[in-house]
Structure formats: C-alpha cells, structure tokens
Amino acid sequence: MGAHATARDIRQQIVDGATSAEATCEAALAAIREGDATIGAFLHVDAAGALDAARAIDARSDKASLPLAGVPVAVKDNICTAGVRTTAGSRMLDTFVPPYDATVVTRLRAAGAVIVGKTNCDEFAMGSSTENSAYFPTKNPWDVTRTPGGSSGGSAAAVAAGFSPIALGSDTGGSVRQPAAFCGVVGLKPTYGRVSRYGLIAFGSSLDQVGTFGQTVHDAALLYDVIAGPDAFDSTASSHPVSPTVAQLDRPLGPVRLGVPRAMLAEGVEADVRAAFDAALEAWRSAGAELVDIDLPHAPHAIPVYYLVAPAEASSNLARYDGVRYGFRAAVGPRDSLEAMYERTRDAGFGAEVKRRILIGTYVLSAGYYDAFYLKAQQVRTLIRDDYTRAFEGVDAIVMPTTPSAAFRLGERVDHPLQMYLNDVFTVSANLAGVPAVSVPCGLTAERLPVGVQVVGPAFAEGRILQIAHALESRMPTMTR
Amino acid sequence: MSAHFGPGDVARVAALAHLELTPDEAARFTPELAEILEYATAIQRVDTSGVSPTAHALAHDSVLRPDEPRGSLVREAALGNAPAAAREAGLFRVPKVIG
C-alpha cells in the first residue's frame, strides 16, 4: 500500500544477493539525513552501529534463516538499547545509556534487523501528538503543519516518510494505533503480555505493550512474529503458545462476523472519518464478512477509567526518577537536604504532562480518594473488559475508527489536556481489556489526510485480526502522498 | 464524591509525589487537574456493586523459576549512569542525610 520498499521485499533482495544489507543501510541513513531535518522522527541516529550490524549480516552465509535479514528498523526511544542513548523523550533521561538491551531489541538483532536509530515520542509515552517530547515535536509527513500523533509519533512518521520500512513503538492507550492512523501506516498493539516488556521504560504496567509499525499489514505482522512470545525476564509475558501470523495472512478469510459498535459512532466522529469507515465496512462486506451491530455499554467510561488507572500506575513507576541511580540531578547546595534534591530534580527533569499525570495518579491513590477514584476505576475496568468478552461470543472481531478525527494541527490541543485525552476514545478500551487491536489505513479525508480503521480481537487472536485487516488492505486503492 | 480540587490539594499531592512545583506551575495545574478529575467523577455513577476490581486484564499464574543464582549487572555498569558516584568505593553519592 505504501510508496516505499517493504521489509518483505528488502529482506528478499538481501537474501537473494540482489543488494547488500550495507547498501540498504546506507540508503536508509541517506534518506534520514535528507528528510529528517523537516520531519524530526529521530532523536538519535546510530549510523556507526547500524553500518556495523549491516556488515555483520552481509558476512553471514545463513541470511535465508533470518526473518529480518538486513532490514532497517527504527525503535521508539522508550525501549532500551545497550550502549545507545535512550531518553524516553525526557530531560530526566537525557544522558541515560542503557547497560542492556530490551528483550524486543535482542530479538530484533537475532532476526538480522539493523537498528538505524531511536525515534521521538511524548515524554515517557504520555501524550497523543509527540508535542510532549522534551526535545522537539515530530511533524506528520503528510502535512508538516500537523502532528503525526503520539506517543509513538516518531516511529509512525519514520515509516510513513520512508526512513525505515518498519518500526517498534509502545501502546498504553493507543500510542501505536493513533499515530499509525494519522500517518497512513499499519500499527499493531498485541494482546497484553504477548510481547515482553523487559527493557520497555515503564508507564502503566497493566496497560503497556510493545507494538509494531509497517507500511503494510504483512510488514507489521512480520515484525510482530519476531518479538512475540514468553520471556524469562518478564513474568507477565504470557506462556500462551505463539503461532506465526504472517503465514495466516493470505489464507482464505472464511466465514467472518465483524461487530460494529453503532452507539460509539453516533457523535463526535468527523464526517470524512465516518465516510472512510463506512467504505471500509463495504470493502469487508465485499470480502464476504457479515456485519453485526453490537453494544459495548460501558464504552463511554473508558476515557475516565483510563485517565485514572494509567496515571496511578505512572505515579508509582516514575517514583524511581529521583536523581540518585541514573539520569538527571538538579544542582543543590551543600546545606540542601536529600528531599530538596529529589524535589528539585523531579521538578526540573519532568515536563508538564508528566507532572500532571504524577499529580493525578498520586491524588487518586492517596488516603480518602482511593476508593472513590482508583478502586472505582478498576471496577469499571472489569465492566469494560466484560463487555468485550460478551461481544466476542458473537463476533470474530470488532471494527471502529481508530480516531474520531484525522491528524490535528501542531499546537492546536497542547494547552488543553482534557481535549487531548478525548482523542483516545476509540483506543484506550483495548488496553483496559488487554485485547489486541490493529489500525489499518482506510482512505483519505478531503484535505488528503489519512484515516485509520481499527480491528479489535479477543486475546491472542493477533493472526485473525491481521488477516481481517489484510483483507481490507488488499481491497483499498494505494494511498500516495 | 465531587472533585473540588483546589490549590491546597495540588500542594499536598506535590509533596506526596516529591515534586517541588513553582507557583506558576501550581496555578496552572490547579484548574487543569480539577477539570480532569471533575470529568472522571462520571464513573462514580456506574453501579459496581459486587464487581471485583481488575488490576491486570488477563489472569495469569504466578511464574516461578528455579532458585539458582545467575549473573546480573556488574557494579561498574550499575553505577555507570549515576549523576554522582564514588565509583571506586562502589557507592552512589547523595546529599548529606545525617547532620
């Protein structure tokens, strides 16, 4: 669907000897040098490390056994890379150089991938536009006056701009799917626990999942197959058996029932988004899918539940940034106390959105407010999850727009935190329920901005939702910028 | 419970969270957080009697591994990112704790 070479084709050419991993890497680095001054997808480019890795792939005689042989990949900067700066978009970690690789990075390297650099994101993955990055906002390659979405905006933009064919992001409330929709690429959030979180800088531990970006469903699936599976370093990584999804994509779709949550679409969805979504429904119908109206009665509560649960978890996870073991420390005088050092470090090291979430999280966990806010949110979370369980008794997957609007303008919402949160209305409930979801492009608005449609499935049904997304993709015209 | 989140709440919560906010930040955050919390009070109208809370979306069993020692970060690497450390002694440095 995209305009650039796919990971699948790049790998095949390298395996066939039609090109080398080194030449492929040089081309990716040149594209970044040429184009990223405008887009700002990368926080750091590791040219030397990438070229070394590419040459090492070229020297191997077993390239055919490597699922990502010589394929350039971009990695969100909240995922640890040994020896390569990892800031999570925060001043707090400006100088942090991880002493170890995240499990997903170890798996990328073992699969023959070449990590070209670390991508920009909202600070600690908190945001929907990358404007909360402590460094600079990323621009949407479709329209540089607009946001690429977030928090994995750098990864989505890198794929859309052709800097790397695939990228890793993380998705706590939509941070892979929303930027994928805004940038016209495919973004997969796997089932909670399907991918190891070891080395992913923690935000909301019961919600966080590493996800994948590609120009095509096939590429997002290929990258997912490399990173999925249990991990001795993450006890929440599921031992549920992993079955490769790529092999499933081209199999016949067979009988499929898709649920459409009509009540959620009744208001607040831009007309052009609604039209693209309706066109996607027609395409699925022509592929043989049966469309069924469903009800997710607790869906309207997903945003408030998410914006209580995620900050509560964040306030706990971010307690570790205290200026002692790693990262930034504010200057203090010889007579200043340890507490003063903590407080100044955290005030100077964190940006406004991170502070907001720490404050909300601390508030809802504090004595007197815990039951009314945090416990209540966890109970409503149960009802939201039960809605999905019930719906999946009657349908294979649920489909809905990924976002209520196409990419908004840079600066438009940055001073309105609640307005920014409401943008996540269609994405947060998959994280609350722990189920997998993939966003796939389904058209353009009149202003030529991409629109994404989301396919949500039951736990561990990644193969099935990717297959359903692929059936749509193959019926959609190519979108070019 | 209505939020009624005011300046006193910001100060109290900031202290709990070890955040030293500037007066400007405190003034900016108070109405923003009040608005977010007021919005979130909508869930308090949901009937949750008898509903158990979800802490993790997918139930999973405790994962055990054999109780055998294995390698971990060497001290030098663990201290490598510290903003202040006595590297030879193997210690993190912090402001004086005991007067």
Side-chain angles (χ1 to χ4, degrees), chain A residues 3 39 72 74 77 135 139 144 174 208 243 271 280 350 354 362 424 442:
Chain A
I39 302 298
D77 204 35
Y135 299 94
K139 316 284 172 54
V144 295
D208 295 339
S243 49
F350 291 136
V354 172
T362 305
D424 300 340
C442 68

Side-chain angles (χ1 to χ4, degrees), chain A residues 11 38 100 107 176 188 198 314 343-344 368 419 436 445 451:
Chain A
R11 174 190 175 271
T38 311
Y100 66 96
R107 289 182 184 172
V176 165
L188 169 70
Y198 179 73
E343 291 176 355
R344 273 172 225 169
Q419 289 308 310
T445 65
V451 177

